[in-house]
Amino acid sequence: MIPQQLIARKRDGHALSRLELEALLKGYLQGDVGDDQMAAFLMAVYFRGLDDSELETLVEVMLRSGDVLDRSDAPGPRVDKHSTGGVGDKVSIVLAPLAAEMGMIVPMMSGRSLGHTGGTLDKLESIPGFRTRMSLGRFNGILDSVGCAMIGQTDEIAPLDRRLYALRDVTATVPSLPLITASIMSKKLAESLDGLVLDVKVGSGAFLSRTEDARRLARAMVGVGRARGLAVTAVLSAMDRPLGRSVGNALEVRESVACLAGKGPDDLRDLVCELAGEMAVSSGLVLTLAEGRRRAADVLAGGGALERFRRLVRAQGGTLRLSRDDCGLPVAPMTKVVTANRGGVVAGIDPRAFGYGVIPLGGGRTRQDQDIDPGVGFELCARVGDRVSRGDPLAIVHGASPDDLFVGARVLEDAVKVADRLTVDPLPLVLERVVSG
Ligand code: URA
Protein backbone atom coordinates (compact mmCIF):
# COMPACT_ATOMS: atom_id res chain seq x y z
CA MET A 1 0.00 0.00 0.00
CA ILE A 2 1.28 3.47 -0.89
CA PRO A 3 -0.58 5.88 1.42
CA GLN A 4 -0.31 8.90 -0.84
CA GLN A 5 -1.96 6.99 -3.71
CA LEU A 6 -4.95 6.16 -1.51
CA ILE A 7 -5.12 9.73 -0.21
CA ALA A 8 -5.07 11.01 -3.81
CA ARG A 9 -7.88 8.63 -4.80
CA LYS A 10 -10.07 9.90 -1.97
CA ARG A 11 -9.05 13.50 -2.72
CA ASP A 12 -10.23 12.98 -6.31
CA GLY A 13 -13.60 11.65 -5.21
CA HIS A 14 -13.16 7.88 -5.67
CA ALA A 15 -14.27 5.22 -3.23
CA LEU A 16 -11.61 3.02 -1.62
CA SER A 17 -12.12 -0.72 -1.49
CA ARG A 18 -12.48 -2.43 1.85
CA LEU A 19 -8.93 -3.79 1.64
CA GLU A 20 -7.46 -0.40 0.76
CA LEU A 21 -9.20 1.46 3.56
CA GLU A 22 -8.32 -1.28 6.05
CA ALA A 23 -4.66 -1.14 4.99
CA LEU A 24 -4.53 2.64 5.41
CA LEU A 25 -6.16 2.61 8.85
CA LYS A 26 -4.19 -0.34 10.16
CA GLY A 27 -1.02 1.23 8.75
CA TYR A 28 -1.79 4.32 10.81
CA LEU A 29 -2.28 2.26 13.96
CA GLN A 30 1.02 0.47 13.38
CA GLY A 31 2.98 3.64 12.63
CA ASP A 32 3.50 3.01 8.88
CA VAL A 33 1.17 5.87 7.99
CA GLY A 34 2.04 9.19 9.66
CA ASP A 35 -0.15 11.82 11.35
CA ASP A 36 0.51 14.09 8.35
CA GLN A 37 -0.81 11.51 5.91
CA MET A 38 -3.80 10.65 8.05
CA ALA A 39 -4.62 14.35 8.47
CA ALA A 40 -4.59 14.72 4.67
CA PHE A 41 -6.82 11.67 4.32
CA LEU A 42 -9.28 13.03 6.91
CA MET A 43 -9.42 16.33 5.02
CA ALA A 44 -10.14 14.41 1.81
CA VAL A 45 -12.97 12.58 3.60
CA TYR A 46 -14.23 15.89 4.94
CA PHE A 47 -14.65 17.16 1.36
CA ARG A 48 -15.54 13.92 -0.46
CA GLY A 49 -17.42 11.91 2.17
CA LEU A 50 -17.54 8.10 2.37
CA ASP A 51 -19.98 5.76 0.67
CA ASP A 52 -21.94 3.18 2.71
CA SER A 53 -19.39 0.46 2.23
CA GLU A 54 -16.46 2.72 3.22
CA LEU A 55 -18.37 3.89 6.30
CA GLU A 56 -19.06 0.29 7.28
CA THR A 57 -15.33 -0.51 6.91
CA LEU A 58 -14.31 2.52 8.96
CA VAL A 59 -16.71 1.59 11.78
CA GLU A 60 -15.52 -2.03 11.70
CA VAL A 61 -11.79 -1.20 11.78
CA MET A 62 -12.27 1.38 14.54
CA LEU A 63 -14.36 -1.03 16.60
CA ARG A 64 -11.91 -3.92 16.10
CA SER A 65 -8.88 -1.73 16.83
CA GLY A 66 -9.48 -2.65 20.48
CA ASP A 67 -11.49 -5.00 22.65
CA VAL A 68 -15.22 -5.07 23.10
CA LEU A 69 -16.38 -4.65 26.71
CA ASP A 70 -17.33 -7.75 28.55
CA ARG A 71 -21.04 -7.81 29.34
CA SER A 72 -20.23 -9.55 32.65
CA ASP A 73 -23.43 -10.58 34.43
CA ALA A 74 -25.00 -7.15 34.39
CA PRO A 75 -27.92 -7.02 36.84
CA GLY A 76 -29.85 -4.64 34.55
CA PRO A 77 -30.06 -3.38 30.97
CA ARG A 78 -26.85 -1.81 29.62
CA VAL A 79 -27.73 1.54 28.10
CA ASP A 80 -25.74 4.63 27.18
CA LYS A 81 -26.19 8.08 25.69
CA HIS A 82 -23.78 9.98 23.48
CA SER A 83 -23.94 13.54 22.19
CA THR A 84 -22.67 14.74 18.83
CA GLY A 85 -21.13 17.67 20.71
CA GLY A 86 -22.30 21.03 21.89
CA VAL A 87 -21.44 24.03 24.04
CA GLY A 88 -22.30 23.86 27.74
CA ASP A 89 -23.36 20.25 27.16
CA LYS A 90 -22.85 18.68 30.56
CA VAL A 91 -25.76 16.23 30.17
CA SER A 92 -23.63 13.05 30.51
CA ILE A 93 -22.41 14.06 33.96
CA VAL A 94 -25.99 14.18 35.23
CA LEU A 95 -27.42 11.42 33.09
CA ALA A 96 -25.03 8.56 33.90
CA PRO A 97 -25.73 8.54 37.67
CA LEU A 98 -29.41 9.35 37.10
CA ALA A 99 -29.91 6.41 34.73
CA ALA A 100 -28.00 4.14 37.12
CA GLU A 101 -30.26 5.26 39.96
CA MET A 102 -33.27 4.43 37.74
CA GLY A 103 -32.02 0.84 37.39
CA MET A 104 -29.88 0.92 34.24
CA ILE A 105 -26.22 -0.08 33.86
CA VAL A 106 -24.32 2.73 32.14
CA PRO A 107 -20.83 1.95 30.77
CA MET A 108 -20.10 5.42 29.42
CA MET A 109 -17.13 6.11 27.15
CA SER A 110 -16.74 9.83 26.46
CA GLY A 111 -14.37 12.20 24.69
CA ARG A 112 -12.27 15.27 25.34
CA SER A 113 -13.00 18.74 24.04
CA LEU A 114 -13.35 18.68 20.26
CA GLY A 115 -13.30 21.79 18.09
CA HIS A 116 -15.39 24.45 19.81
CA THR A 117 -17.26 21.89 21.95
CA GLY A 118 -16.37 20.81 25.47
CA GLY A 119 -15.53 17.22 26.42
CA THR A 120 -17.04 15.20 29.24
CA LEU A 121 -13.60 13.79 30.17
CA ASP A 122 -12.06 17.25 30.58
CA LYS A 123 -15.02 18.31 32.70
CA LEU A 124 -14.81 15.24 34.94
CA GLU A 125 -11.05 15.63 35.32
CA SER A 126 -11.62 19.06 36.84
CA ILE A 127 -12.76 17.11 39.93
CA PRO A 128 -9.59 16.76 42.04
CA GLY A 129 -8.25 13.21 41.77
CA PHE A 130 -10.89 11.98 39.29
CA ARG A 131 -9.40 9.36 36.95
CA THR A 132 -10.87 8.69 33.49
CA ARG A 133 -8.08 6.28 32.49
CA MET A 134 -8.20 2.87 34.13
CA SER A 135 -7.93 -0.82 33.33
CA LEU A 136 -10.99 -2.56 32.00
CA GLY A 137 -11.02 -4.74 35.11
CA ARG A 138 -11.35 -1.65 37.30
CA PHE A 139 -13.96 -0.16 34.95
CA ASN A 140 -16.08 -3.32 35.17
CA GLY A 141 -15.64 -3.36 38.96
CA ILE A 142 -17.01 0.21 39.21
CA LEU A 143 -19.87 -0.66 36.88
CA ASP A 144 -20.78 -3.60 39.14
CA SER A 145 -20.62 -1.60 42.36
CA VAL A 146 -21.98 1.81 41.26
CA GLY A 147 -24.06 0.97 38.16
CA CYS A 148 -22.23 3.51 36.01
CA ALA A 149 -18.63 4.29 35.14
CA MET A 150 -17.14 6.98 32.91
CA ILE A 151 -13.92 6.57 30.91
CA GLY A 152 -12.30 7.75 27.69
CA GLN A 153 -11.17 5.86 24.64
CA THR A 154 -8.27 3.71 25.82
CA ASP A 155 -5.50 1.62 24.30
CA GLU A 156 -7.85 -1.30 24.90
CA ILE A 157 -11.18 0.14 23.68
CA ALA A 158 -11.47 1.98 20.37
CA PRO A 159 -7.82 3.17 20.32
CA LEU A 160 -8.17 4.20 16.68
CA ASP A 161 -10.97 6.58 17.63
CA ARG A 162 -8.78 8.09 20.35
CA ARG A 163 -6.05 8.87 17.82
CA LEU A 164 -8.31 10.06 15.01
CA TYR A 165 -10.39 12.14 17.42
CA ALA A 166 -7.32 14.02 18.67
CA LEU A 167 -6.06 14.53 15.12
CA ARG A 168 -9.42 15.77 13.83
CA ASP A 169 -9.62 18.21 16.72
CA VAL A 170 -6.52 20.10 15.61
CA THR A 171 -6.94 19.76 11.83
CA ALA A 172 -10.46 21.21 11.40
CA THR A 173 -11.83 17.86 10.20
CA VAL A 174 -14.45 17.29 12.88
CA PRO A 175 -17.63 18.40 11.08
CA SER A 176 -17.90 15.42 8.74
CA LEU A 177 -20.94 13.16 8.81
CA PRO A 178 -19.09 9.85 8.22
CA LEU A 179 -16.25 10.73 10.62
CA ILE A 180 -18.66 11.67 13.42
CA THR A 181 -20.78 8.59 12.74
CA ALA A 182 -17.81 6.21 12.85
CA SER A 183 -16.27 7.89 15.89
CA ILE A 184 -19.43 7.68 17.95
CA MET A 185 -20.73 4.32 16.78
CA SER A 186 -17.39 2.47 17.07
CA LYS A 187 -17.09 3.51 20.73
CA LYS A 188 -20.69 2.72 21.50
CA LEU A 189 -20.66 -0.67 19.75
CA ALA A 190 -17.59 -1.55 21.84
CA GLU A 191 -19.66 -1.06 25.00
CA SER A 192 -21.86 -4.13 24.28
CA LEU A 193 -25.10 -2.25 24.92
CA ASP A 194 -28.75 -3.24 24.97
CA GLY A 195 -29.81 0.26 23.94
CA LEU A 196 -28.27 3.55 22.87
CA VAL A 197 -29.70 7.07 22.89
CA LEU A 198 -28.01 9.73 20.77
CA ASP A 199 -28.33 13.43 21.43
CA VAL A 200 -27.86 14.97 17.98
CA LYS A 201 -27.30 18.70 18.32
CA VAL A 202 -28.78 21.20 15.86
CA GLY A 203 -27.85 24.88 15.50
CA SER A 204 -24.78 27.06 15.23
CA GLY A 205 -23.07 25.41 18.22
CA ALA A 206 -23.33 21.95 16.64
CA PHE A 207 -20.82 20.46 14.20
CA LEU A 208 -23.57 20.00 11.61
CA SER A 209 -25.70 23.04 12.26
CA ARG A 210 -28.63 22.61 9.82
CA THR A 211 -31.59 20.48 10.86
CA GLU A 212 -31.49 18.43 7.64
CA ASP A 213 -27.79 17.61 8.15
CA ALA A 214 -28.38 16.68 11.79
CA ARG A 215 -31.25 14.45 10.66
CA ARG A 216 -28.99 12.74 8.09
CA LEU A 217 -26.37 12.22 10.79
CA ALA A 218 -29.00 10.77 13.14
CA ARG A 219 -30.23 8.39 10.41
CA ALA A 220 -26.68 7.29 9.54
CA MET A 221 -25.91 6.44 13.18
CA VAL A 222 -29.27 4.71 13.72
CA GLY A 223 -28.58 2.75 10.49
CA VAL A 224 -25.13 1.59 11.67
CA GLY A 225 -26.70 0.47 14.96
CA ARG A 226 -29.53 -1.34 13.21
CA ALA A 227 -27.13 -3.21 10.91
CA ARG A 228 -25.34 -4.51 14.01
CA GLY A 229 -28.44 -5.35 16.05
CA LEU A 230 -28.26 -2.39 18.43
CA ALA A 231 -31.48 -0.46 19.13
CA VAL A 232 -30.67 3.23 18.72
CA THR A 233 -32.89 6.26 19.32
CA ALA A 234 -31.66 9.67 18.23
CA VAL A 235 -33.07 12.87 19.70
CA LEU A 236 -32.44 16.11 17.80
CA SER A 237 -31.95 18.87 20.37
CA ALA A 238 -31.30 22.61 20.27
CA MET A 239 -27.74 23.96 20.11
CA ASP A 240 -28.53 27.44 18.80
CA ARG A 241 -27.57 28.71 22.27
CA PRO A 242 -25.42 27.16 25.01
CA LEU A 243 -27.12 24.51 27.15
CA GLY A 244 -27.58 25.70 30.73
CA ARG A 245 -25.79 28.76 32.07
CA SER A 246 -22.15 27.73 32.31
CA VAL A 247 -19.43 26.99 29.76
CA GLY A 248 -16.06 25.81 31.10
CA ASN A 249 -14.96 22.59 32.75
CA ALA A 250 -15.27 23.03 36.54
CA LEU A 251 -18.12 25.53 36.12
CA GLU A 252 -20.07 22.89 34.21
CA VAL A 253 -19.45 20.25 36.87
CA ARG A 254 -20.85 22.67 39.45
CA GLU A 255 -23.94 23.19 37.32
CA SER A 256 -24.28 19.41 36.92
CA VAL A 257 -24.15 18.97 40.69
CA ALA A 258 -26.91 21.58 41.05
CA CYS A 259 -29.02 19.67 38.50
CA LEU A 260 -28.40 16.39 40.34
CA ALA A 261 -29.59 18.14 43.49
CA GLY A 262 -32.89 18.98 41.73
CA LYS A 263 -31.86 22.59 41.03
CA GLY A 264 -29.99 24.25 38.17
CA PRO A 265 -31.28 25.56 34.83
CA ASP A 266 -34.58 24.27 33.42
CA ASP A 267 -33.26 23.49 29.94
CA LEU A 268 -30.54 21.22 31.34
CA ARG A 269 -32.99 19.42 33.62
CA ASP A 270 -35.60 19.03 30.85
CA LEU A 271 -33.10 17.62 28.35
CA VAL A 272 -31.65 15.25 30.96
CA CYS A 273 -35.16 13.97 31.77
CA GLU A 274 -35.98 13.57 28.07
CA LEU A 275 -32.85 11.52 27.42
CA ALA A 276 -33.20 9.51 30.63
CA GLY A 277 -36.80 8.80 29.60
CA GLU A 278 -35.60 7.57 26.18
CA MET A 279 -32.96 5.38 27.86
CA ALA A 280 -35.61 3.90 30.15
CA VAL A 281 -37.87 3.12 27.15
CA SER A 282 -35.04 1.58 25.14
CA SER A 283 -34.05 -0.61 28.07
CA GLY A 284 -37.62 -1.76 28.68
CA LEU A 285 -37.84 -0.23 32.17
CA VAL A 286 -40.91 1.79 31.19
CA LEU A 287 -43.44 1.54 28.38
CA THR A 288 -43.80 5.19 27.45
CA LEU A 289 -41.52 8.17 27.14
CA ALA A 290 -43.85 10.20 29.36
CA GLU A 291 -43.44 7.62 32.13
CA GLY A 292 -39.66 7.61 31.64
CA ARG A 293 -39.47 11.40 31.87
CA ARG A 294 -41.62 11.39 35.00
CA ARG A 295 -39.47 8.74 36.69
CA ALA A 296 -36.32 10.66 35.85
CA ALA A 297 -37.73 13.89 37.31
CA ASP A 298 -38.81 12.07 40.49
CA VAL A 299 -35.39 10.50 40.97
CA LEU A 300 -33.64 13.86 40.46
CA ALA A 301 -35.97 15.56 42.94
CA GLY A 302 -35.42 12.77 45.49
CA GLY A 303 -31.62 13.27 45.62
CA GLY A 304 -30.76 9.63 44.79
CA ALA A 305 -28.93 10.59 41.59
CA LEU A 306 -26.69 13.02 43.47
CA GLU A 307 -25.78 10.33 45.98
CA ARG A 308 -25.03 7.96 43.06
CA PHE A 309 -22.77 10.62 41.53
CA ARG A 310 -20.92 10.99 44.83
CA ARG A 311 -20.29 7.23 44.83
CA LEU A 312 -19.12 7.35 41.21
CA VAL A 313 -16.69 10.19 41.93
CA ARG A 314 -15.29 8.38 44.95
CA ALA A 315 -14.93 5.11 43.02
CA GLN A 316 -13.01 6.92 40.26
CA GLY A 317 -10.63 8.51 42.77
CA GLY A 318 -12.15 12.00 42.93
CA THR A 319 -13.10 14.25 45.81
CA LEU A 320 -16.10 16.56 45.80
CA ARG A 321 -17.07 18.80 48.70
CA LEU A 322 -20.79 19.03 48.21
CA SER A 323 -21.29 21.18 51.31
CA ARG A 324 -19.28 23.99 49.69
CA ASP A 325 -20.59 26.36 47.02
CA ASP A 326 -17.65 25.61 44.74
CA CYS A 327 -17.95 21.85 45.49
CA GLY A 328 -14.16 21.87 46.13
CA LEU A 329 -13.55 22.30 42.38
CA PRO A 330 -10.86 24.57 40.89
CA VAL A 331 -11.91 28.21 40.78
CA ALA A 332 -10.41 30.88 38.50
CA PRO A 333 -8.64 33.62 40.52
CA MET A 334 -10.62 36.50 39.01
CA THR A 335 -13.95 37.32 37.42
CA LYS A 336 -15.42 40.15 35.39
CA VAL A 337 -19.11 40.91 34.90
CA VAL A 338 -20.14 42.03 31.41
CA THR A 339 -23.24 44.23 31.38
CA ALA A 340 -25.75 45.27 28.71
CA ASN A 341 -24.79 48.51 26.97
CA ARG A 342 -28.42 49.10 26.03
CA GLY A 343 -31.88 47.99 27.07
CA GLY A 344 -33.91 45.48 25.04
CA VAL A 345 -34.29 41.72 24.61
CA VAL A 346 -31.48 39.17 24.57
CA ALA A 347 -31.95 38.22 20.94
CA GLY A 348 -29.16 35.68 20.56
CA ILE A 349 -26.32 33.95 22.41
CA ASP A 350 -23.87 32.48 19.93
CA PRO A 351 -22.77 29.11 21.32
CA ARG A 352 -19.85 28.71 18.93
CA ALA A 353 -18.34 32.02 20.07
CA PHE A 354 -18.61 30.81 23.67
CA GLY A 355 -17.05 27.45 22.80
CA TYR A 356 -14.10 28.97 20.97
CA GLY A 357 -13.91 31.74 23.59
CA VAL A 358 -12.94 29.23 26.30
CA ILE A 359 -9.80 28.22 24.38
CA PRO A 360 -7.81 31.50 24.74
CA LEU A 361 -8.76 31.56 28.43
CA GLY A 362 -6.87 28.24 28.71
CA GLY A 363 -9.96 26.03 29.06
CA GLY A 364 -9.57 24.24 25.69
CA ARG A 365 -6.82 23.04 23.33
CA THR A 366 -5.17 24.23 20.14
CA ARG A 367 -2.63 21.36 20.17
CA GLN A 368 -3.13 17.70 21.00
CA ASP A 369 -0.73 17.69 23.97
CA GLN A 370 -1.94 20.81 25.80
CA ASP A 371 -3.01 20.88 29.44
CA ILE A 372 -6.10 22.88 30.22
CA ASP A 373 -7.03 25.24 33.04
CA PRO A 374 -10.20 23.72 34.56
CA GLY A 375 -11.38 26.80 36.47
CA VAL A 376 -11.88 29.25 33.60
CA GLY A 377 -14.99 29.88 31.51
CA PHE A 378 -18.21 31.83 31.25
CA GLU A 379 -21.40 32.00 33.26
CA LEU A 380 -24.55 33.43 31.68
CA CYS A 381 -26.72 35.74 33.76
CA ALA A 382 -29.36 36.18 31.02
CA ARG A 383 -30.95 33.79 28.51
CA VAL A 384 -32.35 34.27 25.03
CA GLY A 385 -35.69 36.10 25.26
CA ASP A 386 -34.94 37.82 28.60
CA ARG A 387 -35.65 41.58 28.83
CA VAL A 388 -32.66 43.55 30.10
CA SER A 389 -31.99 47.20 30.96
CA ARG A 390 -28.76 49.03 30.28
CA GLY A 391 -26.24 48.00 32.96
CA ASP A 392 -27.86 44.63 33.75
CA PRO A 393 -25.36 41.75 33.97
CA LEU A 394 -25.29 39.54 30.85
CA ALA A 395 -22.51 37.13 31.77
CA ILE A 396 -19.41 36.63 33.92
CA VAL A 397 -15.92 35.75 32.66
CA HIS A 398 -13.83 33.52 34.95
CA GLY A 399 -10.16 33.97 34.06
CA ALA A 400 -6.61 33.56 35.24
CA SER A 401 -5.33 37.11 34.56
CA PRO A 402 -6.58 40.63 33.80
CA ASP A 403 -5.58 40.10 30.13
CA ASP A 404 -7.70 36.96 29.97
CA LEU A 405 -10.65 38.79 31.51
CA PHE A 406 -10.30 41.44 28.83
CA VAL A 407 -10.22 38.81 26.06
CA GLY A 408 -13.17 36.96 27.60
CA ALA A 409 -15.20 40.16 27.93
CA ARG A 410 -14.69 40.87 24.21
CA VAL A 411 -15.97 37.37 23.41
CA LEU A 412 -19.08 37.99 25.49
CA GLU A 413 -19.74 41.41 23.99
CA ASP A 414 -19.79 39.81 20.52
CA ALA A 415 -21.61 36.63 21.51
CA VAL A 416 -24.55 38.03 23.47
CA LYS A 417 -26.79 40.20 21.30
CA VAL A 418 -29.28 42.66 22.79
CA ALA A 419 -31.83 44.06 20.32
CA ASP A 420 -35.26 45.65 20.27
CA ARG A 421 -36.92 42.30 19.71
CA LEU A 422 -36.19 38.64 18.95
CA THR A 423 -35.22 38.40 15.30
CA VAL A 424 -35.18 34.60 15.09
CA ASP A 425 -37.25 32.23 17.21
CA PRO A 426 -35.09 29.96 19.38
CA LEU A 427 -35.28 26.27 18.42
CA PRO A 428 -37.47 24.08 20.64
CA LEU A 429 -35.28 22.22 23.15
CA VAL A 430 -36.22 18.89 21.51
CA LEU A 431 -36.95 19.04 17.78
CA GLU A 432 -37.66 15.43 16.80
CA ARG A 433 -36.60 11.81 17.28
CA VAL A 434 -35.28 9.23 14.85
CA VAL A 435 -35.68 5.58 15.85
CA SER A 436 -34.49 2.22 14.54
CA GLY A 437 -37.25 0.98 12.19
N1 URA B 1 -18.40 12.89 19.63
C1 URA B 1 -17.57 11.87 19.28
O1 URA B 1 -17.35 10.96 20.06
N2 URA B 1 -17.01 11.91 18.08
C2 URA B 1 -17.23 12.89 17.19
O2 URA B 1 -16.68 12.84 16.11
C3 URA B 1 -18.08 13.95 17.55
C4 URA B 1 -18.67 13.93 18.79
Side-chain angles (χ1 to χ4, degrees):
M1 176 235 355
I2 301 180
Q4 49 271 49
Q5 269 185 329
L6 300 184
I7 297 165
R9 292 253 312 286
K10 182 43 62 187
R11 180 199 64 201
D12 296 341
H14 303 289
L16 301 190
S17 72
R18 182 180 186 88
L19 286 180
E20 287 170 331
L21 188 52
E22 253 180 34
L24 188 73
L25 296 167
K26 288 184 177 162
Y28 180 59
L29 271 175
Q30 287 154 6
D32 301 329
V33 172
D35 272 348
D36 45 3
Q37 292 171 311
M38 187 48 70
F41 179 71
L42 294 171
M43 190 57 85
V45 173
Y46 173 87
F47 282 112
R48 296 299 192 170
L50 294 179
D51 70 16
D52 288 351
S53 152
E54 289 175 303
L55 176 59
E56 165 59 28
T57 304
L58 180 59
V59 172
E60 177 69 17
V61 176
M62 287 172 82
L63 170 62
R64 300 288 160 211
S65 67
D67 292 338
V68 169
L69 286 181
D70 188 359
R71 290 188 54 85
S72 59
D73 18 338
R78 286 169 73 99
V79 197
D80 193 7
K81 175 284 326 183
H82 199 88
S83 157
T84 56
V87 177
D89 181 1
K90 64 279 295 173
V91 165
S92 293
I93 300 172
V94 184
L95 195 55
L98 169 61
E101 187 65 17
M102 290 168 73
M104 295 169 249
I105 306 294
V106 189
M108 191 176 271
M109 198 181 306
S110 305
R112 298 198 174 278
S113 63
L114 191 63
H116 61 279
T117 68
T120 301
L121 295 183
D122 294 319
K123 293 170 199 178
L124 288 170
E125 285 176 1
S126 71
I127 301 171
F130 195 98
R131 283 194 305 273
T132 58
R133 286 195 88 155
M134 65 187 84
S135 70
L136 287 187
R138 174 105 195 97
F139 180 74
N140 281 326
I142 295 173
L143 256 191
D144 287 347
S145 61
V146 185
C148 57
M150 300 176 85
I151 52 165
Q153 311 97 308
T154 66
D155 289 339
E156 294 160 288
I157 302 284
L160 182 54
D161 179 53
R162 181 159 65 82
R163 293 195 46 202
L164 294 180
Y165 191 95
L167 194 58
R168 288 165 60 213
D169 185 26
V170 292
T171 55
T173 48
V174 176
S176 149
L177 186 151
L179 295 180
I180 298 175
T181 300
S183 164
I184 293 181
M185 292 309 293
S186 60
K187 284 194 282 281
K188 298 295 122 174
L189 288 164
E191 290 175 356
S192 306
L193 299 169
D194 297 307
L196 171 64
V197 175
L198 296 168
D199 181 6
V200 180
K201 300 293 190 191
V202 183
S204 59
F207 288 121
L208 303 182
S209 53
R210 297 178 325 160
T211 308
E212 55 271 36
D213 292 336
R215 197 179 287 130
R216 276 197 311 126
L217 175 62
R219 287 185 181 144
M221 292 191 289
V222 167
V224 168
R226 188 191 301 119
R228 288 166 180 270
L230 173 62
V232 182
T233 303
V235 174
L236 269 57
S237 77
M239 188 35 67
D240 56 342
R241 67 265 179 189
L243 182 67
R245 288 182 175 269
S246 58
V247 178
N249 296 294
L251 290 169
E252 292 191 43
V253 174
R254 266 161 74 182
E255 192 165 86
S256 305
V257 169
C259 186
L260 282 161
K263 298 179 254 173
D266 293 353
D267 59 343
L268 175 60
R269 193 206 39 236
D270 291 351
L271 185 57
V272 162
C273 289
E274 183 78 17
L275 295 167
E278 290 285 9
M279 288 168 78
V281 171
S282 84
S283 62
L285 281 184
V286 295
L287 289 177
T288 66
L289 179 56
E291 195 186 341
R293 280 193 205 113
R294 223 176 11 253
R295 274 230 213 155
D298 288 349
V299 169
L300 272 184
L306 179 59
E307 173 54 22
R308 186 73 68 147
F309 183 59
R310 215 178 43 75
R311 284 171 55 201
L312 171 73
V313 169
R314 194 165 351 111
Q316 296 202 206
T319 309
L320 271 180
R321 300 197 190 289
L322 294 177
S323 56
R324 286 172 40 170
D325 261 5
D326 64 10
C327 300
L329 293 161
V331 176
M334 46 191 84
T335 57
K336 180 176 170 66
V337 180
V338 172
T339 57
N341 58 11
R342 55 162 290 182
V345 173
V346 177
I349 300 179
D350 176 9
R352 195 169 278 252
F354 268 77
Y356 277 127
V358 171
I359 298 175
L361 296 182
R365 297 184 182 79
T366 52
R367 286 195 326 269
Q368 288 189 43
D369 54 351
Q370 251 166 351
D371 285 334
I372 56 176
D373 180 343
V376 301
F378 303 103
E379 238 178 314
L380 283 163
C381 309
R383 312 299 299 276
V384 175
D386 285 357
R387 289 219 136 264
V388 290
S389 303
R390 183 183 161 88
D392 281 353
L394 294 178
I396 305 170
V397 191
H398 294 247
S401 70
D403 282 355
D404 287 353
L405 293 186
F406 178 78
V407 170
R410 294 293 300 274
V411 169
L412 289 179
E413 281 154 15
D414 288 344
V416 185
K417 295 273 178 274
V418 179
D420 292 336
R421 69 189 75 80
L422 279 182
T423 39
V424 186
D425 280 339
L427 292 172
L429 183 64
V430 173
L431 289 86
E432 59 188 60
R433 57 205 290 267
V434 176
V435 287
S436 303

